[in-house]
Amino acid sequence: MSEKLNSALDTAGPQAGRIEDLWWLLFGFCAVVFVAVMAVLVAALVRRRTPDESMEPTYAGQRTALRYVGAGVLATGAILLGFLIASVTTDRGLDEIETGGARVLTITGRQWWWEIRYEDARPDRVVVTANEIHVPVGQPVLLRLRASDVIHSFWVPSLAGKRDLIPGRDTGLWIQANRPGTFQGQCAEFCGYQHAHMRFLVIAQPPAEFDAWLEGQRASAPEPATDEERRGREVFLAGSCVMCHTIRGTAAGSIVGPDLTHLASRQTIAAGARPNTRDHLAAWVADPQRTKPGARMPVPELPPADLQALVTYLRSLR
Ligand code: CUA
């Protein structure tokens, strides 16, 4: 899978594709207008009168000038009207998508991470994860967007336009990926100290691969396989971690922070702030403020051996 940099001009889905078309249309027209204006300006400079020529305006000269101004105003009006029509048509088109039986995800923006919920009619089949959205290629997905604290904005340029997440006012956004790949997204509305570290990934997979992933996420956390992992789980459940996090299959069920049931299966930690490696995870847990100043996660104050056991356990949550 290739990792795509954020670009609204490298699109992988119908919604972003429409926006890209609009971008090129506006760019093309504006480029032509710019060149035309510059050409007229240069022509005017070349034709500047020499000082001994009469500066008195003539009737015929004024009529010619008025005709030019009139033509300029008409052309400007026509182009702006055309842009307006193109923008409205694009906006309408963003909601035109095959909707039958589409998968529904609820995305909640929080300071500073994303909660991802795969809805299901059966509550025991609902999957909750964080900062990584897996979607099946070629199938439309409806994202229900909400915020729990301040205004955030959901933006994955290769797949769709921005959509604000406003506390108390749920919105929706269709996305569809037409090819497999990993697409970067980020919060696009300043939402506090760690706004820049509020990233996420959209991972588009062939449907069969996606279904297997979702089935894996439905499972409870694996049982610890070693003494170190067992000790790590005890540390987790006895310390402050359990106050905020869920690990399904254990007594930890709080929803203040991200669900950690399958933490080790994710590519990044702290909403894209660091890659999900043992060292980064240990540094993050030992002192979250160092990795992400202002983060809501408190320092757990663990002895080094407990910290290492905890990290070993967290790394086993595949
Ligand atoms: Cu959330 Cu910026």
Side-chain angles (χ1 to χ4, degrees):
M1 255 183 231
S2 62
E3 179 136 328
K4 290 285 169 207
L5 288 175
N6 301 311
S7 175
L9 300 180
D10 179 18
T11 57
Q15 280 79 18
R18 284 174 189 273
I19 295 171
E20 185 182 355
D21 292 345
L22 179 65
W23 192 94
W24 282 111
L25 181 80
L26 299 192
F27 177 77
F29 266 94
C30 291
V32 169
V33 169
F34 177 77
V35 170
V37 168
M38 287 302 126
V40 171
L41 182 67
V42 168
L45 287 173
V46 168
R47 286 188 53 217
R48 210 161 33 169
R49 291 165 202 272
T50 48
D52 54 311
E53 261 184 297
S54 165
M55 296 298 284
E56 281 301 308
T58 62
Y59 179 67
Q62 278 180 331
R63 276 187 52 143
T64 310
L66 268 180
R67 265 203 293 273
Y68 276 124
V69 171
V73 168
L74 277 180
T76 306
I79 290 172
L80 288 180
L81 185 67
F83 282 0
L84 180 69
I85 292 170
S87 299
V88 170
T89 310
T90 301
D91 193 46
R92 289 278 165 84
L94 295 182
D95 286 330
E96 278 171 19
I97 193 165
E98 187 52 55
T99 57
R103 198 172 291 282
V104 179
L105 275 66
T106 303
I107 314 267
T108 309
R110 296 165 180 262
Q111 284 174 318
W112 290 277
W113 59 281
W114 304 89
E115 183 189 283
I116 323 288
R117 231 178 114 88
Y118 289 79
E119 302 295 352
D120 199 289
R122 272 177 51 192
D124 63 318
R125 288 169 62 82
V126 170
V127 163
V128 182
T129 179
N131 307 322
E132 253 182 47
I133 305 171
H134 289 243
V135 295
V137 169
Q139 295 178 15
V141 174
L142 176 60
L143 306 180
R144 265 201 236 131
L145 303 174
R146 49 175 55 162
S148 64
D149 35 42
V150 299
I151 299 177
H152 303 275
S153 184
F154 182 93
W155 191 32
V156 47
S158 293
L159 295 177
K162 292 174 190 168
R163 184 62 55 92
D164 279 4
L165 288 73
I166 302 167
R169 204 185 132 188
D170 295 4
T171 53
L173 181 71
W174 287 101
I175 62 166
Q176 180 175 323
N178 284 345
R179 55 178 158 87
T182 300
F183 307 101
Q184 295 184 6
Q186 66 274 303
C187 183
E189 173 82 31
F190 182 71
C191 55
Y193 200 175
Q194 288 297 329
H195 157 69
H197 285 143
M198 191 166 165
R199 301 171 61 194
F200 59 95
L201 297 174
V202 177
I203 298 162
Q205 298 167 296
E209 208 178 286
F210 167 81
D211 288 341
W213 172 84
L214 193 63
E215 204 51 49
Q217 294 286 312
R218 284 195 182 112
S220 294
E223 278 296 300
T226 65
D227 286 345
E228 175 89 343
E229 288 174 16
R230 252 184 294 281
R231 181 168 169 200
R233 184 167 73 174
E234 278 164 28
V235 171
F236 186 93
L237 294 174
S240 55
C241 311
V242 70
M243 309 292 284
C244 294
H245 294 284
T246 290
I247 296 180
R248 276 175 284 130
T250 74
S254 179
I255 55 167
V256 178
D259 186 305
L260 302 179
T261 308
H262 298 286
L263 171 69
S265 72
R266 307 206 277 256
Q267 296 182 20
T268 68
I269 54 169
R274 294 286 185 275
N276 190 3
T277 64
R278 184 181 173 99
D279 288 350
H280 284 304
L281 184 62
W284 166 242
V285 174
D287 187 358
Q289 302 302 317
R290 186 171 275 249
T291 299
K292 204 167 165 177
R296 298 281 188 255
M297 181 155 142
V299 179
E301 310 273 8
L302 294 170
D306 283 0
L307 175 69
Q308 290 307 322
L310 174 61
V311 170
T312 301
Y313 172 59
L314 292 174
R315 298 278 300 160
S316 77
L317 301 176
R318 297 230 129 254

